[in-house]
Amino acid sequence: MSADILTSIPLSSLPRISQGKVRDLFALPDGDKPTLLFVTSDRISAYDNGIPTKGTILTLLSAKWFEVLSAKVPGLKHHFLHLGPPKTPGLVTPEEQTMLRGRSMTVRRLKVFPVEAIVRGYITGSAWAEYQKTQTIHGLPAPAGLDHCARLPEPIYTPSTKAELGDKDINISPEEARKIVGEKYADRIEQLALACYKAGAEYAEERGIIIADTKFEFALDEETDEVYLVDEVLTPDSSRFWSKADYQVGRVQDSFDKQVLRNWLTANGLKGKLDVEMPPEVVEKTKGRYSEVFKLLTGTSLEEALAKLE
Ligand code: ATP
Ligand code: MG
């Protein structure tokens, strides 16, 4: 097995605050403002083995998006400060420094709103299932006569709850999300989510990728009362990416990154099973797909991007 698959993050020089499905968060010594080291592993949802370099791809892709969205969305504030940990001598060991290269970023530590700010530009997944039953999407009335995977006349904000580890997120209406995040911040979150999606989808489409839908997370800077874009941004893990060249309305689309894995699960009757180990060829092909997305969206290969890092 390749040495660069990291399903856990070997970092003991900093206190680990939490571990999500894919990321580990570490506390950094306080400077002016509280900060975190946001480290992305190669873990892939329910699977035992990881995808080599996945954490690096997600990190460098998110960093690229923070740059692109800052230029395209007026007034956008985001948590990204810089790649890697602060340069303070002795903060991490040289081995840890190497391990963290390309897969970690220093971010502002903020209070995350407990909703997933989903935006959909196309109708698929749980929204399609609901639409077929009731002609609504997250409880909102939707245009009649939509086909599966049709482009929506306008992107829509369709939040969900942010479940604890192991629980399932539940689709809710923007009205229910208002109650969760508070009247004061609801409009700002919705406006930023839609603006980030539109800017990102336009940028991706020019590069051959349709972002069918995506999930953003937002957080509050309690000192200034401002809403920040946080977490990963417009990655294959937080979004549905389709190939623009292969897109056809009225049928299921191949997901750009996860299709190889999905086909293998279906062929082997393993769909929905937990703790599955992917065979090496599925791992390799999936890695290839993540790399392809990275290259299409950033214009550079992962190797080139890594070589440019200090
Ligand atoms: P999923 O991404 O599938 O929902 P998860 O939420 O467990 O799973 P991870 O990506 O593994 O996610 O972990 C990242 C965690 O860090 C999330 O809980 C996210 O809300 C939190 N987070 C993101 N940005 C910040 C920030 N700036 N300050 C504090 N917490 C943050
Ligand atoms: Mg997450």
Side-chain angles (χ1 to χ4, degrees):
M1 186 171 290
S2 162
D4 55 4
I5 305 180
L6 273 193
T7 52
S8 66
I9 303 295
L11 175 57
S12 50
S13 298
L14 298 171
R16 194 179 317 248
I17 299 173
S18 68
Q19 186 170 67
K21 289 194 276 289
V22 174
R23 292 177 180 78
D24 288 14
L25 273 47
F26 297 85
L28 288 169
D30 278 351
D32 288 353
K33 309 255 183 200
T35 50
L36 286 174
L37 190 65
F38 198 70
V39 189
T40 307
S41 75
D42 296 329
R43 296 194 283 273
I44 178 161
S45 46
Y47 304 95
D48 280 353
N49 42 354
I51 302 294
T53 71
K54 177 174 176 275
T56 314
I57 290 175
L58 299 185
T59 301
L60 298 180
L61 183 56
S62 290
K64 173 74 181 179
W65 279 122
F66 285 120
E67 180 195 316
V68 171
L69 295 182
S70 293
K72 285 181 157 245
V73 179
L76 178 71
K77 299 256 178 190
H78 60 71
H79 73 161
F80 178 73
L81 294 171
H82 55 81
L83 286 168
K87 300 235 164 12
T88 321
L91 184 66
V92 298
T93 66
E95 295 74 37
E96 289 170 338
Q97 184 74 44
T98 306
M99 179 275 298
L100 291 169
R101 195 164 169 269
R103 68 166 72 243
S104 63
M105 44 172 79
T106 298
V107 302
R108 297 276 314 275
R109 183 177 187 173
L110 300 159
K111 195 174 168 212
V112 181
F113 290 107
V115 295
E116 312 263 20
I118 299 167
V119 179
R120 300 172 191 271
Y122 293 74
I123 182 164
T124 189
S126 61
W128 172 243
E130 178 186 331
Y131 179 78
Q132 283 176 291
K133 276 192 219 131
T134 55
Q135 273 227 5
T136 56
I137 304 178
H138 288 233
L140 302 171
L146 291 175
D147 264 339
H148 191 195
C149 295
R151 185 181 188 137
L152 295 163
E154 268 301 308
I156 49 173
Y157 174 63
T158 55
S160 79
T161 58
K162 188 166 149 54
E164 296 292 318
L165 208 61
D167 287 344
K168 227 176 150 6
D169 296 338
I170 300 164
N171 287 351
I172 53 176
S173 66
E175 210 33 56
E176 286 167 293
R178 286 193 96 74
K179 288 183 200 140
I180 298 173
V181 301
E183 206 52 47
K184 195 170 165 197
Y185 305 110
D187 287 341
R188 182 72 179 144
I189 292 171
E190 175 167 350
Q191 179 225 342
L192 285 174
L194 285 167
C196 289
Y197 172 80
K198 284 181 193 164
E202 187 186 271
Y203 185 91
E205 209 180 315
E206 288 162 6
R207 288 157 181 81
I209 291 179
I210 291 175
I211 303 181
D213 50 37
T214 195
K215 177 211 84 172
F216 297 108
E217 291 194 30
F218 291 94
L220 183 67
D221 179 343
E222 289 178 290
E223 248 175 59
T224 61
D225 211 29
E226 285 172 305
V227 174
Y228 275 65
L229 175 64
V230 300
D231 207 52
E232 64 181 323
V233 175
L234 296 171
T235 71
D237 277 16
S238 64
S239 325
R240 273 196 184 90
F241 286 171
W242 296 337
S243 154
K244 194 181 167 192
D246 299 338
Y247 170 72
Q248 260 183 352
V249 74
R251 62 158 172 82
V252 177
Q253 316 298 311
D254 278 1
S255 141
F256 207 98
D257 51 304
K258 309 261 168 35
Q259 204 59 39
V260 177
L261 179 56
R262 223 164 268 157
N263 292 350
W264 173 77
L265 290 173
T266 311
N268 291 281
L270 293 167
K271 245 182 151 174
K273 292 246 161 60
L274 293 175
D275 304 323
V276 173
E277 176 130 358
M278 295 170 270
E281 68 273 16
V282 173
V283 170
E284 249 341 279
K285 276 196 196 156
T286 303
K287 179 191 168 194
R289 284 306 185 90
Y290 272 86
S291 307
E292 215 180 317
V293 166
F294 183 82
K295 174 109 202 247
L296 284 170
L297 289 176
T298 66
T300 41
S301 70
L302 180 63
E303 293 68 30
E304 284 164 338
L306 278 170
K308 276 192 208 148
L309 298 179
E310 285 169 36

